[in-house]
Amino acid sequence: MSTVAELASEIQQLSAADKHLLMQLLLTDSDEPEQDAEEAYRAEIVRRVKAIRNGEAAIKALQDWQE
């Protein structure tokens, strides 16, 4: 069985597309049920919307992130 260091070295040699695919596979192959993840996403969205409405956070235009 490969060690984490060996796997990390092999991952560095993958193309960007293959790294993305691997990441998707790892995220969907977790021990937690998908429903928990969806609930966590919803809770985070609600938290962020409340922060924006309360003036605790600001919305930044996508253009600003690309510069």
Side-chain angles (χ1 to χ4, degrees):
M1 179 167 256
S2 298
T3 66
V4 173
E6 290 169 337
L7 290 172
S9 177
E10 289 181 36
I11 289 169
Q12 293 303 317
Q13 297 174 25
L14 295 174
S15 69
D18 284 342
K19 287 178 186 177
H20 182 74
L21 178 59
L22 177 60
M23 186 171 56
Q24 285 181 320
L25 291 170
L26 290 171
L27 289 173
T28 59
D29 188 31
S30 69
D31 294 334
E32 297 178 24
E34 281 187 38
Q35 186 176 12
D36 289 343
E38 287 197 26
E39 289 174 22
Y41 287 131
R42 285 191 184 117
E44 180 64 15
I45 290 168
V46 168
R47 185 192 70 76
R48 290 182 185 202
V49 168
K50 284 181 182 179
I52 291 168
R53 287 184 178 162
N54 293 334
E56 300 165 2
I59 298 174
K60 193 165 189 173
L62 180 59
Q63 295 166 336
D64 294 341
W65 288 99
Q66 295 173 345
E67 294 176 353

Short mmCIF file of all heavy atoms in Angstrom, two decimals:
data_model
loop_
_atom_site.label_atom_id
_atom_site.label_comp_id
_atom_site.label_asym_id
_atom_site.label_seq_id
_atom_site.Cartn_x
_atom_site.Cartn_y
_atom_site.Cartn_z
N MET A 1 0.84 -1.19 0.00
CA MET A 1 0.00 0.00 0.00
C MET A 1 0.88 1.24 0.00
O MET A 1 1.89 1.29 0.68
CB MET A 1 -0.92 -0.01 1.22
CG MET A 1 -1.82 1.19 1.30
SD MET A 1 -3.14 0.99 2.50
CE MET A 1 -4.49 0.68 1.38
N SER A 2 0.49 2.24 -0.74
CA SER A 2 1.26 3.48 -0.86
C SER A 2 1.09 4.35 0.38
O SER A 2 0.04 4.35 1.01
CB SER A 2 0.79 4.27 -2.07
OG SER A 2 1.00 3.55 -3.25
N THR A 3 2.12 5.10 0.70
CA THR A 3 2.02 6.07 1.79
C THR A 3 1.41 7.35 1.24
O THR A 3 1.35 7.56 0.03
CB THR A 3 3.41 6.37 2.38
OG1 THR A 3 4.18 7.05 1.38
CG2 THR A 3 4.10 5.11 2.85
N VAL A 4 1.02 8.22 2.14
CA VAL A 4 0.44 9.50 1.72
C VAL A 4 1.47 10.29 0.93
O VAL A 4 1.14 10.92 -0.08
CB VAL A 4 -0.05 10.29 2.95
CG1 VAL A 4 -0.49 11.69 2.55
CG2 VAL A 4 -1.20 9.55 3.63
N ALA A 5 2.72 10.26 1.34
CA ALA A 5 3.76 10.99 0.62
C ALA A 5 3.93 10.46 -0.80
O ALA A 5 4.11 11.24 -1.75
CB ALA A 5 5.09 10.90 1.37
N GLU A 6 3.87 9.15 -0.95
CA GLU A 6 3.98 8.55 -2.29
C GLU A 6 2.79 8.95 -3.16
O GLU A 6 2.95 9.28 -4.33
CB GLU A 6 4.08 7.03 -2.18
CG GLU A 6 5.38 6.54 -1.58
CD GLU A 6 5.36 5.06 -1.25
OE1 GLU A 6 4.26 4.48 -1.07
OE2 GLU A 6 6.44 4.47 -1.20
N LEU A 7 1.61 8.90 -2.57
CA LEU A 7 0.42 9.30 -3.32
C LEU A 7 0.49 10.77 -3.71
O LEU A 7 0.14 11.14 -4.84
CB LEU A 7 -0.84 9.03 -2.50
CG LEU A 7 -1.20 7.57 -2.29
CD1 LEU A 7 -2.34 7.44 -1.29
CD2 LEU A 7 -1.57 6.92 -3.60
N ALA A 8 0.94 11.62 -2.78
CA ALA A 8 1.04 13.05 -3.08
C ALA A 8 2.00 13.29 -4.24
O ALA A 8 1.73 14.12 -5.11
CB ALA A 8 1.51 13.80 -1.84
N SER A 9 3.08 12.55 -4.28
CA SER A 9 4.04 12.68 -5.38
C SER A 9 3.41 12.27 -6.70
O SER A 9 3.60 12.93 -7.72
CB SER A 9 5.27 11.82 -5.09
OG SER A 9 6.17 11.88 -6.16
N GLU A 10 2.65 11.21 -6.68
CA GLU A 10 1.98 10.74 -7.90
C GLU A 10 0.90 11.73 -8.34
O GLU A 10 0.73 11.99 -9.54
CB GLU A 10 1.37 9.37 -7.67
CG GLU A 10 2.39 8.26 -7.54
CD GLU A 10 1.77 6.89 -7.34
OE1 GLU A 10 0.70 6.64 -7.93
OE2 GLU A 10 2.35 6.10 -6.59
N ILE A 11 0.19 12.31 -7.38
CA ILE A 11 -0.86 13.27 -7.71
C ILE A 11 -0.27 14.49 -8.40
O ILE A 11 -0.87 15.04 -9.33
CB ILE A 11 -1.64 13.67 -6.44
CG1 ILE A 11 -2.49 12.47 -5.98
CG2 ILE A 11 -2.51 14.89 -6.67
CD1 ILE A 11 -3.09 12.63 -4.61
N GLN A 12 0.91 14.93 -7.96
CA GLN A 12 1.56 16.09 -8.57
C GLN A 12 1.84 15.88 -10.05
O GLN A 12 1.96 16.83 -10.81
CB GLN A 12 2.84 16.44 -7.83
CG GLN A 12 2.62 16.93 -6.43
CD GLN A 12 1.72 18.15 -6.37
OE1 GLN A 12 1.85 19.07 -7.17
NE2 GLN A 12 0.78 18.15 -5.45
N GLN A 13 1.93 14.64 -10.48
CA GLN A 13 2.22 14.33 -11.88
C GLN A 13 0.96 14.28 -12.75
O GLN A 13 1.06 14.20 -13.98
CB GLN A 13 2.98 13.01 -11.97
CG GLN A 13 4.33 13.06 -11.27
CD GLN A 13 5.01 11.71 -11.22
OE1 GLN A 13 4.74 10.85 -12.05
NE2 GLN A 13 5.89 11.53 -10.26
N LEU A 14 -0.20 14.34 -12.13
CA LEU A 14 -1.45 14.28 -12.89
C LEU A 14 -1.74 15.60 -13.59
O LEU A 14 -1.28 16.66 -13.16
CB LEU A 14 -2.62 13.97 -11.94
CG LEU A 14 -2.64 12.62 -11.26
CD1 LEU A 14 -3.80 12.56 -10.26
CD2 LEU A 14 -2.74 11.49 -12.26
N SER A 15 -2.53 15.52 -14.64
CA SER A 15 -2.98 16.74 -15.31
C SER A 15 -3.99 17.45 -14.40
O SER A 15 -4.53 16.86 -13.46
CB SER A 15 -3.66 16.40 -16.63
OG SER A 15 -4.89 15.73 -16.39
N ALA A 16 -4.25 18.70 -14.68
CA ALA A 16 -5.22 19.47 -13.89
C ALA A 16 -6.59 18.81 -13.94
O ALA A 16 -7.29 18.73 -12.92
CB ALA A 16 -5.30 20.90 -14.40
N ALA A 17 -6.98 18.31 -15.10
CA ALA A 17 -8.29 17.66 -15.25
C ALA A 17 -8.36 16.39 -14.39
O ALA A 17 -9.37 16.12 -13.74
CB ALA A 17 -8.55 17.32 -16.71
N ASP A 18 -7.28 15.61 -14.39
CA ASP A 18 -7.26 14.39 -13.59
C ASP A 18 -7.26 14.71 -12.09
O ASP A 18 -7.89 14.01 -11.30
CB ASP A 18 -6.07 13.51 -13.95
CG ASP A 18 -6.26 12.78 -15.26
OD1 ASP A 18 -7.42 12.67 -15.72
OD2 ASP A 18 -5.26 12.30 -15.83
N LYS A 19 -6.57 15.78 -11.70
CA LYS A 19 -6.58 16.19 -10.29
C LYS A 19 -7.99 16.57 -9.88
O LYS A 19 -8.45 16.23 -8.78
CB LYS A 19 -5.63 17.36 -10.06
CG LYS A 19 -4.18 16.99 -10.09
CD LYS A 19 -3.31 18.23 -9.90
CE LYS A 19 -1.85 17.92 -10.07
NZ LYS A 19 -1.00 19.12 -9.97
N HIS A 20 -8.68 17.29 -10.75
CA HIS A 20 -10.05 17.70 -10.46
C HIS A 20 -10.95 16.47 -10.31
O HIS A 20 -11.76 16.40 -9.38
CB HIS A 20 -10.56 18.62 -11.57
CG HIS A 20 -11.93 19.13 -11.35
ND1 HIS A 20 -12.22 20.12 -10.42
CD2 HIS A 20 -13.12 18.79 -11.90
CE1 HIS A 20 -13.51 20.34 -10.42
NE2 HIS A 20 -14.08 19.57 -11.32
N LEU A 21 -10.82 15.53 -11.21
CA LEU A 21 -11.61 14.30 -11.14
C LEU A 21 -11.32 13.54 -9.85
O LEU A 21 -12.23 13.07 -9.17
CB LEU A 21 -11.33 13.42 -12.36
CG LEU A 21 -12.05 12.07 -12.39
CD1 LEU A 21 -13.56 12.26 -12.36
CD2 LEU A 21 -11.64 11.30 -13.64
N LEU A 22 -10.05 13.43 -9.49
CA LEU A 22 -9.66 12.75 -8.26
C LEU A 22 -10.28 13.44 -7.05
O LEU A 22 -10.80 12.79 -6.15
CB LEU A 22 -8.14 12.71 -8.13
CG LEU A 22 -7.60 12.10 -6.85
CD1 LEU A 22 -8.05 10.65 -6.69
CD2 LEU A 22 -6.08 12.20 -6.81
N MET A 23 -10.25 14.76 -7.05
CA MET A 23 -10.83 15.51 -5.95
C MET A 23 -12.33 15.24 -5.83
O MET A 23 -12.85 15.02 -4.74
CB MET A 23 -10.57 17.01 -6.14
CG MET A 23 -11.02 17.84 -4.97
SD MET A 23 -10.51 19.57 -5.07
CE MET A 23 -11.19 20.07 -6.63
N GLN A 24 -13.01 15.21 -6.96
CA GLN A 24 -14.45 14.91 -6.95
C GLN A 24 -14.70 13.51 -6.40
O GLN A 24 -15.61 13.31 -5.60
CB GLN A 24 -15.03 15.03 -8.35
CG GLN A 24 -15.20 16.45 -8.82
CD GLN A 24 -15.80 16.51 -10.21
OE1 GLN A 24 -15.45 15.71 -11.08
NE2 GLN A 24 -16.70 17.45 -10.42
N LEU A 25 -13.90 12.56 -6.82
CA LEU A 25 -14.06 11.19 -6.33
C LEU A 25 -13.83 11.10 -4.83
O LEU A 25 -14.57 10.42 -4.12
CB LEU A 25 -13.10 10.24 -7.07
CG LEU A 25 -13.40 9.99 -8.54
CD1 LEU A 25 -12.24 9.24 -9.20
CD2 LEU A 25 -14.68 9.21 -8.70
N LEU A 26 -12.82 11.78 -4.35
CA LEU A 26 -12.52 11.76 -2.92
C LEU A 26 -13.63 12.42 -2.10
O LEU A 26 -13.99 11.94 -1.03
CB LEU A 26 -11.17 12.43 -2.64
CG LEU A 26 -9.95 11.67 -3.13
CD1 LEU A 26 -8.71 12.54 -2.98
CD2 LEU A 26 -9.79 10.36 -2.39
N LEU A 27 -14.16 13.51 -2.62
CA LEU A 27 -15.21 14.22 -1.90
C LEU A 27 -16.51 13.43 -1.86
O LEU A 27 -17.25 13.49 -0.88
CB LEU A 27 -15.45 15.59 -2.51
CG LEU A 27 -14.33 16.60 -2.27
CD1 LEU A 27 -14.60 17.88 -3.07
CD2 LEU A 27 -14.19 16.92 -0.80
N THR A 28 -16.81 12.69 -2.90
CA THR A 28 -18.05 11.91 -2.93
C THR A 28 -17.90 10.57 -2.23
O THR A 28 -18.88 9.92 -1.93
CB THR A 28 -18.54 11.68 -4.37
OG1 THR A 28 -17.54 11.00 -5.10
CG2 THR A 28 -18.90 12.98 -5.04
N ASP A 29 -16.67 10.18 -1.93
CA ASP A 29 -16.41 8.90 -1.27
C ASP A 29 -16.06 9.12 0.20
O ASP A 29 -15.15 8.52 0.73
CB ASP A 29 -15.27 8.16 -1.98
CG ASP A 29 -15.09 6.74 -1.45
OD1 ASP A 29 -16.09 6.14 -1.02
OD2 ASP A 29 -13.95 6.25 -1.44
N SER A 30 -16.79 9.99 0.86
CA SER A 30 -16.52 10.24 2.26
C SER A 30 -17.40 9.36 3.13
O SER A 30 -18.34 8.73 2.66
CB SER A 30 -16.77 11.72 2.60
OG SER A 30 -18.14 12.00 2.52
N ASP A 31 -17.08 9.32 4.39
CA ASP A 31 -17.86 8.51 5.33
C ASP A 31 -19.17 9.17 5.72
O ASP A 31 -20.06 8.53 6.23
CB ASP A 31 -17.04 8.24 6.60
CG ASP A 31 -15.83 7.37 6.31
OD1 ASP A 31 -15.87 6.60 5.34
OD2 ASP A 31 -14.85 7.46 7.07
N GLU A 32 -19.25 10.48 5.51
CA GLU A 32 -20.46 11.20 5.88
C GLU A 32 -21.51 11.09 4.79
O GLU A 32 -21.20 11.16 3.61
CB GLU A 32 -20.13 12.68 6.09
CG GLU A 32 -19.16 12.92 7.21
CD GLU A 32 -18.83 14.39 7.34
OE1 GLU A 32 -19.64 15.23 6.91
OE2 GLU A 32 -17.75 14.68 7.86
N PRO A 33 -22.75 10.95 5.18
CA PRO A 33 -23.82 10.90 4.18
C PRO A 33 -23.92 12.23 3.43
O PRO A 33 -23.63 13.29 3.98
CB PRO A 33 -25.09 10.67 5.01
CG PRO A 33 -24.64 10.29 6.37
CD PRO A 33 -23.24 10.77 6.54
N GLU A 34 -24.33 12.15 2.17
CA GLU A 34 -24.47 13.36 1.36
C GLU A 34 -25.45 14.35 1.96
O GLU A 34 -25.29 15.54 1.83
CB GLU A 34 -24.91 13.00 -0.06
CG GLU A 34 -23.80 12.50 -0.93
CD GLU A 34 -24.24 12.32 -2.36
OE1 GLU A 34 -25.02 13.15 -2.86
OE2 GLU A 34 -23.80 11.35 -2.98
N GLN A 35 -26.46 13.84 2.62
CA GLN A 35 -27.48 14.71 3.20
C GLN A 35 -26.83 15.66 4.21
O GLN A 35 -27.17 16.83 4.27
CB GLN A 35 -28.58 13.90 3.86
CG GLN A 35 -29.73 14.76 4.36
CD GLN A 35 -30.85 13.92 4.91
OE1 GLN A 35 -30.71 12.73 5.13
NE2 GLN A 35 -31.97 14.55 5.15
N ASP A 36 -25.88 15.17 5.00
CA ASP A 36 -25.20 16.03 5.96
C ASP A 36 -24.44 17.14 5.24
O ASP A 36 -24.41 18.28 5.71
CB ASP A 36 -24.23 15.22 6.82
CG ASP A 36 -24.94 14.31 7.81
OD1 ASP A 36 -26.15 14.52 8.05
OD2 ASP A 36 -24.29 13.39 8.34
N ALA A 37 -23.82 16.82 4.13
CA ALA A 37 -23.09 17.83 3.37
C ALA A 37 -24.05 18.88 2.82
O ALA A 37 -23.76 20.08 2.89
CB ALA A 37 -22.31 17.18 2.23
N GLU A 38 -25.17 18.45 2.30
CA GLU A 38 -26.15 19.40 1.77
C GLU A 38 -26.68 20.30 2.87
O GLU A 38 -26.86 21.50 2.67
CB GLU A 38 -27.28 18.66 1.05
CG GLU A 38 -26.84 18.09 -0.28
CD GLU A 38 -28.00 17.73 -1.17
OE1 GLU A 38 -29.08 18.32 -1.04
OE2 GLU A 38 -27.79 16.85 -2.02
N GLU A 39 -26.93 19.74 4.04
CA GLU A 39 -27.39 20.54 5.16
C GLU A 39 -26.33 21.55 5.57
O GLU A 39 -26.63 22.70 5.88
CB GLU A 39 -27.77 19.64 6.34
CG GLU A 39 -29.04 18.85 6.12
CD GLU A 39 -29.31 17.86 7.24
OE1 GLU A 39 -28.79 18.05 8.35
OE2 GLU A 39 -30.05 16.91 6.98
N ALA A 40 -25.08 21.13 5.55
CA ALA A 40 -23.98 22.03 5.91
C ALA A 40 -23.87 23.16 4.89
O ALA A 40 -23.65 24.32 5.25
CB ALA A 40 -22.68 21.26 6.00
N TYR A 41 -24.01 22.83 3.59
CA TYR A 41 -23.98 23.87 2.55
C TYR A 41 -25.11 24.87 2.75
O TYR A 41 -24.92 26.08 2.66
CB TYR A 41 -24.07 23.26 1.15
CG TYR A 41 -22.82 22.56 0.69
CD1 TYR A 41 -22.90 21.29 0.15
CD2 TYR A 41 -21.57 23.16 0.77
CE1 TYR A 41 -21.75 20.62 -0.28
CE2 TYR A 41 -20.43 22.52 0.35
CZ TYR A 41 -20.52 21.24 -0.19
OH TYR A 41 -19.41 20.59 -0.61
N ARG A 42 -26.30 24.35 3.00
CA ARG A 42 -27.44 25.26 3.21
C ARG A 42 -27.22 26.16 4.41
O ARG A 42 -27.50 27.36 4.37
CB ARG A 42 -28.72 24.44 3.38
CG ARG A 42 -29.24 23.87 2.11
CD ARG A 42 -30.64 23.30 2.27
NE ARG A 42 -31.05 22.69 1.04
CZ ARG A 42 -31.31 21.40 0.88
NH1 ARG A 42 -31.23 20.59 1.91
NH2 ARG A 42 -31.65 20.92 -0.29
N ALA A 43 -26.72 25.59 5.50
CA ALA A 43 -26.46 26.37 6.70
C ALA A 43 -25.41 27.45 6.43
O ALA A 43 -25.54 28.59 6.90
CB ALA A 43 -26.02 25.47 7.85
N GLU A 44 -24.39 27.11 5.66
CA GLU A 44 -23.34 28.08 5.33
C GLU A 44 -23.90 29.19 4.44
O GLU A 44 -23.57 30.36 4.63
CB GLU A 44 -22.16 27.39 4.65
CG GLU A 44 -21.04 28.31 4.28
CD GLU A 44 -20.35 28.98 5.46
OE1 GLU A 44 -20.55 28.54 6.62
OE2 GLU A 44 -19.62 29.96 5.23
N ILE A 45 -24.74 28.84 3.50
CA ILE A 45 -25.36 29.85 2.64
C ILE A 45 -26.20 30.80 3.47
O ILE A 45 -26.12 32.03 3.32
CB ILE A 45 -26.20 29.19 1.52
CG1 ILE A 45 -25.26 28.49 0.52
CG2 ILE A 45 -27.09 30.21 0.82
CD1 ILE A 45 -25.97 27.56 -0.44
N VAL A 46 -27.00 30.25 4.37
CA VAL A 46 -27.84 31.09 5.24
C VAL A 46 -26.96 32.00 6.09
O VAL A 46 -27.24 33.19 6.24
CB VAL A 46 -28.75 30.21 6.13
CG1 VAL A 46 -29.40 31.02 7.23
CG2 VAL A 46 -29.80 29.51 5.28
N ARG A 47 -25.88 31.46 6.64
CA ARG A 47 -24.97 32.24 7.47
C ARG A 47 -24.38 33.40 6.67
O ARG A 47 -24.33 34.54 7.14
CB ARG A 47 -23.85 31.36 8.01
CG ARG A 47 -22.91 32.09 8.99
CD ARG A 47 -21.67 31.28 9.28
NE ARG A 47 -20.76 31.19 8.15
CZ ARG A 47 -19.96 32.17 7.74
NH1 ARG A 47 -19.94 33.32 8.35
NH2 ARG A 47 -19.14 31.99 6.70
N ARG A 48 -23.95 33.12 5.43
CA ARG A 48 -23.34 34.16 4.60
C ARG A 48 -24.34 35.23 4.19
O ARG A 48 -24.03 36.42 4.18
CB ARG A 48 -22.68 33.54 3.37
CG ARG A 48 -21.45 32.74 3.72
CD ARG A 48 -20.80 32.18 2.51
NE ARG A 48 -19.68 31.31 2.87
CZ ARG A 48 -18.70 31.01 2.07
NH1 ARG A 48 -18.66 31.48 0.84
NH2 ARG A 48 -17.73 30.21 2.47
N VAL A 49 -25.56 34.82 3.84
CA VAL A 49 -26.59 35.80 3.47
C VAL A 49 -26.91 36.70 4.65
O VAL A 49 -27.02 37.93 4.50
CB VAL A 49 -27.86 35.09 2.94
CG1 VAL A 49 -29.02 36.06 2.83
CG2 VAL A 49 -27.58 34.42 1.60
N LYS A 50 -27.02 36.12 5.85
CA LYS A 50 -27.28 36.92 7.05
C LYS A 50 -26.13 37.90 7.29
O LYS A 50 -26.36 39.06 7.64
CB LYS A 50 -27.45 36.02 8.27
CG LYS A 50 -28.79 35.33 8.33
CD LYS A 50 -28.90 34.48 9.59
CE LYS A 50 -30.22 33.75 9.63
NZ LYS A 50 -30.34 32.90 10.83
N ALA A 51 -24.89 37.45 7.09
CA ALA A 51 -23.73 38.33 7.30
C ALA A 51 -23.76 39.50 6.33
O ALA A 51 -23.46 40.64 6.70
CB ALA A 51 -22.43 37.54 7.15
N ILE A 52 -24.15 39.24 5.09
CA ILE A 52 -24.25 40.31 4.09
C ILE A 52 -25.35 41.28 4.48
O ILE A 52 -25.17 42.50 4.47
CB ILE A 52 -24.48 39.72 2.68
CG1 ILE A 52 -23.22 38.99 2.22
CG2 ILE A 52 -24.88 40.83 1.70
CD1 ILE A 52 -23.43 38.13 0.99
N ARG A 53 -26.50 40.76 4.85
CA ARG A 53 -27.64 41.62 5.21
C ARG A 53 -27.35 42.45 6.46
O ARG A 53 -27.84 43.57 6.60
CB ARG A 53 -28.89 40.78 5.41
CG ARG A 53 -29.45 40.26 4.12
CD ARG A 53 -30.73 39.51 4.33
NE ARG A 53 -31.26 39.06 3.05
CZ ARG A 53 -32.16 38.11 2.91
NH1 ARG A 53 -32.66 37.50 3.98
NH2 ARG A 53 -32.59 37.76 1.71
N ASN A 54 -26.57 41.89 7.39
CA ASN A 54 -26.24 42.61 8.63
C ASN A 54 -25.06 43.55 8.47
O ASN A 54 -24.64 44.18 9.43
CB ASN A 54 -25.93 41.61 9.75
CG ASN A 54 -27.16 40.81 10.16
OD1 ASN A 54 -28.28 41.25 9.99
ND2 ASN A 54 -26.93 39.63 10.68
N GLY A 55 -24.49 43.60 7.27
CA GLY A 55 -23.36 44.48 7.03
C GLY A 55 -22.04 43.93 7.56
O GLY A 55 -21.06 44.65 7.65
N GLU A 56 -22.01 42.66 7.93
CA GLU A 56 -20.79 42.04 8.46
C GLU A 56 -19.89 41.52 7.34
O GLU A 56 -18.73 41.18 7.59
CB GLU A 56 -21.16 40.89 9.40
CG GLU A 56 -22.00 41.33 10.58
CD GLU A 56 -22.64 40.16 11.30
OE1 GLU A 56 -22.43 39.01 10.91
OE2 GLU A 56 -23.37 40.43 12.27
N ALA A 57 -20.42 41.44 6.14
CA ALA A 57 -19.65 40.97 4.99
C ALA A 57 -20.11 41.75 3.77
O ALA A 57 -21.20 42.31 3.75
CB ALA A 57 -19.89 39.47 4.78
N ALA A 58 -19.27 41.77 2.77
CA ALA A 58 -19.60 42.50 1.55
C ALA A 58 -19.51 41.56 0.36
O ALA A 58 -18.75 40.60 0.38
CB ALA A 58 -18.64 43.66 1.35
N ILE A 59 -20.30 41.86 -0.64
CA ILE A 59 -20.26 41.10 -1.88
C ILE A 59 -19.20 41.73 -2.77
O ILE A 59 -19.14 42.94 -2.95
CB ILE A 59 -21.62 41.11 -2.58
CG1 ILE A 59 -22.68 40.45 -1.70
CG2 ILE A 59 -21.53 40.42 -3.94
CD1 ILE A 59 -24.08 40.54 -2.26
N LYS A 60 -18.34 40.90 -3.31
CA LYS A 60 -17.30 41.39 -4.20
C LYS A 60 -17.60 40.87 -5.62
O LYS A 60 -17.88 39.70 -5.80
CB LYS A 60 -15.93 40.88 -3.74
CG LYS A 60 -14.78 41.56 -4.40
CD LYS A 60 -13.50 41.27 -3.66
CE LYS A 60 -12.42 42.14 -4.24
NZ LYS A 60 -11.20 42.06 -3.49
N ALA A 61 -17.51 41.76 -6.59
CA ALA A 61 -17.80 41.38 -7.97
C ALA A 61 -16.79 40.36 -8.46
O ALA A 61 -15.62 40.38 -8.08
CB ALA A 61 -17.77 42.61 -8.86
N LEU A 62 -17.24 39.45 -9.31
CA LEU A 62 -16.36 38.42 -9.86
C LEU A 62 -15.18 39.03 -10.58
O LEU A 62 -14.07 38.52 -10.52
CB LEU A 62 -17.15 37.51 -10.82
CG LEU A 62 -16.38 36.39 -11.47
CD1 LEU A 62 -15.77 35.46 -10.42
CD2 LEU A 62 -17.27 35.60 -12.41
N GLN A 63 -15.39 40.15 -11.23
CA GLN A 63 -14.31 40.83 -11.94
C GLN A 63 -13.17 41.19 -10.99
O GLN A 63 -12.01 41.10 -11.35
CB GLN A 63 -14.82 42.10 -12.61
CG GLN A 63 -15.83 41.83 -13.71
CD GLN A 63 -16.56 43.10 -14.12
OE1 GLN A 63 -16.66 44.04 -13.34
NE2 GLN A 63 -17.06 43.13 -15.33
N ASP A 64 -13.49 41.59 -9.77
CA ASP A 64 -12.48 41.96 -8.80
C ASP A 64 -11.63 40.76 -8.39
O ASP A 64 -10.46 40.90 -8.07
CB ASP A 64 -13.13 42.55 -7.54
CG ASP A 64 -13.82 43.88 -7.83
OD1 ASP A 64 -13.51 44.50 -8.86
OD2 ASP A 64 -14.69 44.27 -7.03
N TRP A 65 -12.20 39.56 -8.40
CA TRP A 65 -11.46 38.36 -8.01
C TRP A 65 -10.48 37.94 -9.11
O TRP A 65 -9.49 37.30 -8.85
CB TRP A 65 -12.43 37.21 -7.74
CG TRP A 65 -13.20 37.39 -6.49
CD1 TRP A 65 -14.46 37.86 -6.38
CD2 TRP A 65 -12.77 37.13 -5.15
NE1 TRP A 65 -14.86 37.90 -5.07
CE2 TRP A 65 -13.82 37.45 -4.30
CE3 TRP A 65 -11.59 36.64 -4.60
CZ2 TRP A 65 -13.73 37.31 -2.92
CZ3 TRP A 65 -11.50 36.50 -3.23
CH2 TRP A 65 -12.56 36.84 -2.41
N GLN A 66 -10.76 38.28 -10.33
CA GLN A 66 -9.95 37.84 -11.45
C GLN A 66 -8.75 38.77 -11.68
O GLN A 66 -7.85 38.42 -12.41
CB GLN A 66 -10.79 37.76 -12.72
CG GLN A 66 -11.86 36.69 -12.61
CD GLN A 66 -12.81 36.71 -13.80
OE1 GLN A 66 -12.86 37.67 -14.56
NE2 GLN A 66 -13.57 35.64 -13.96
N GLU A 67 -8.72 39.91 -11.08
CA GLU A 67 -7.63 40.87 -11.29
C GLU A 67 -6.46 40.56 -10.41
O GLU A 67 -6.46 39.97 -9.44
CB GLU A 67 -8.13 42.29 -11.05
CG GLU A 67 -9.17 42.68 -12.08
CD GLU A 67 -9.77 44.06 -11.81
OE1 GLU A 67 -9.49 44.64 -10.76
OE2 GLU A 67 -10.49 44.53 -12.67
#
